Amino acid sequence: MNVLLNVIDPVAISIGPIKIYWYGIIIALAMLIGISLATKEAQKLGLEEDTMVDMALWAIPIGFIGARLYYVLFKWDYYIQNPSEIIAIWNGGIAIYGGLIAGGLAVYWFARRKKMTLTLLLDILAPSVLLAQSIGRWGNFINQEAHGGAVSRQFLETLYLPEFIIEQMNINGTYYHPTFLYESLWSLLGFILLIILRNQKGLLRRGEVALSYVIWYSFGRFFIEGMRTDSLWIGDIMRASQVLSLVLFISAIVLWIYRRRAYPTKPYYSEGLIASR
């Protein structure tokens, strides 16, 4: 019991000067699970077995670069004074939206290069990405980051949280909102919802699984971001992730309505590669 009450060491394995962090293990696990699920779905729809793996080999590293650049740009005043820190990703500092934008561009390039249907690829990926995000947030939990403002221990107890989560949210004697958990659960719920909707034949047209992902994630992120204490800001008045979430949420709804009206005969997702392109 005492072990659970201690703050979790962010270093999982230490061999001499080599240290392997829980954060890296959790992120790697999240990506492997996401790729595995996407691969199974791609095969079911008629794509080649290695499609998702080949795409991941491009999208994942490019996504990490985008996540870092996004963070650096919003902290430019610091990094312009400390340019050697720009590549020091091991010191922290990545932003999921930057990763999604860069990763999305990589998927677009991959689809063009392979002459594949972009919307179908995005639909296959969307639930897997959401699940990976849900798992990945536990890396923030281990690092005691991406948390909200100060709260009382009593408040955390009213959420019926396990003791190890409550104590991990005790940072230097102060308890904080476990916003990592809020987003993880929101993403997990979204994953389940997308899987259910995606499996309904004749419900979602091609591209609408991905749009559902954007709508769901951006809606939840808008409110959760407002609780966090480590937000990236536009000037001193707007949280960058809240602005982007709002833009994405509205844009995805508008695009959904437009596509339904302008292209009423677009194939359903469940038709896979059988449908005409």
Side-chain angles (χ1 to χ4, degrees), residues 5 17-18 27 45 81 101 106 110 112 123 126 132 143 149 154 169 175 187 202 208 220-221 230 233 235 254 256:
L5 295 178
I18 301 174
I27 294 298
L45 293 181
Q81 300 296 326
I101 292 170
F110 181 86
R112 290 288 299 270
D123 283 347
N143 287 350
Q154 183 179 9
M169 288 296 95
Y175 291 93
S187 297
E208 291 178 351
R221 181 61 185 268
D230 62 342
W233 291 79
V254 170
W256 186 313

Side-chain angles (χ1 to χ4, degrees), residues 41 44-45 120 123 198-206 209 267-275:
E41 182 66 15
K44 187 174 75 174
L45 293 181
L120 183 61
D123 283 347
R198 192 172 72 174
N199 288 335
Q200 303 302 308
K201 291 186 177 181
L203 178 62
L204 296 180
R205 294 194 178 276
R206 191 175 288 175
V209 180
Y268 289 102
Y269 168 81
S270 57
E271 295 177 68
L273 291 182
I274 297 175

Side-chain angles (χ1 to χ4, degrees), residues 7-266:
V7 173
I8 300 172
D9 189 341
V11 178
I13 303 171
S14 183
I15 305 175
I18 301 174
K19 294 182 179 180
I20 300 175
Y21 289 84
W22 280 114
Y23 185 89
I25 293 174
I26 291 171
I27 294 298
L29 178 64
M31 290 188 297
L32 287 174
I33 292 175
I35 293 170
S36 177
L37 288 176
T39 296
K40 290 180 180 179
E41 182 66 15
Q43 288 179 284
K44 187 174 75 174
L45 293 181
L47 275 69
E48 294 182 6
E49 182 178 356
D50 296 333
T51 300
M52 292 296 112
V53 174
D54 291 343
M55 182 173 56
L57 291 176
W58 290 98
I60 289 176
I62 291 174
F64 269 112
I65 293 172
R68 180 59 173 176
L69 289 178
Y70 185 98
Y71 183 87
V72 168
L73 287 175
F74 279 99
K75 295 283 187 178
W76 187 245
D77 288 345
Y78 169 79
Y79 286 105
I80 193 64
Q81 300 296 326
N82 303 274
S84 63
E85 289 290 311
I86 292 177
I87 62 171
I89 194 171
W90 50 87
N91 291 332
I94 59 175
I96 185 63
Y97 268 137
L100 291 174
I101 292 170
L105 290 174
V107 173
Y108 171 78
W109 171 83
F110 181 86
R112 290 288 299 270
R113 181 168 175 260
K114 297 291 185 178
K115 295 181 172 56
M116 303 179 70
T117 306
L118 175 63
T119 50
L120 183 61
L121 286 178
L122 293 176
D123 283 347
I124 292 171
L125 286 170
S128 298
V129 171
L130 203 49
L131 179 60
Q133 288 176 244
S134 177
I135 297 170
R137 279 301 175 194
W138 287 87
N140 298 132
F141 165 72
I142 298 294
N143 287 350
Q144 295 183 305
E145 60 191 11
H147 58 72
V151 296
S152 66
R153 178 185 172 86
Q154 183 179 9
F155 170 81
L156 296 179
E157 289 174 348
T158 63
L159 300 179
Y160 299 101
L161 299 176
E163 190 69 18
F164 78 95
I165 292 181
I166 292 177
E167 284 307 311
Q168 191 70 3
M169 288 296 95
N170 181 357
I171 304 173
N172 298 323
T174 301
Y175 291 93
Y176 291 91
H177 264 296
T179 46
F180 87 91
L181 179 62
Y182 304 156
E183 185 169 330
S184 178
L185 292 177
W186 180 257
S187 297
L188 179 60
L189 181 59
F191 163 74
I192 295 171
L193 180 62
L194 288 190
I195 291 296
I196 292 174
L197 294 176
R198 192 172 72 174
N199 288 335
Q200 303 302 308
K201 291 186 177 181
L203 178 62
L204 296 180
R205 294 194 178 276
R206 191 175 288 175
E208 291 178 351
V209 180
L211 288 174
S212 297
Y213 161 82
V214 174
I215 292 169
W216 180 269
Y217 179 71
S218 59
F219 180 83
R221 181 61 185 268
F222 178 86
F223 293 101
I224 296 170
E225 186 68 25
M227 304 172 65
R228 286 177 54 168
T229 59
D230 62 342
S231 298
L232 299 173
W233 291 79
I234 300 175
D236 295 321
I237 56 174
M238 295 182 293
R239 298 174 191 261
S241 288
Q242 281 192 308
V243 173
L244 187 53
S245 292
L246 186 60
V247 170
L248 289 173
F249 179 76
I250 295 173
S251 298
I253 292 176
V254 170
L255 183 56
W256 186 313
I257 295 172
Y258 169 76
R259 293 175 83 249
R260 279 277 178 161
R261 291 182 175 179
Y263 307 102
T265 60
K266 266 194 176 295

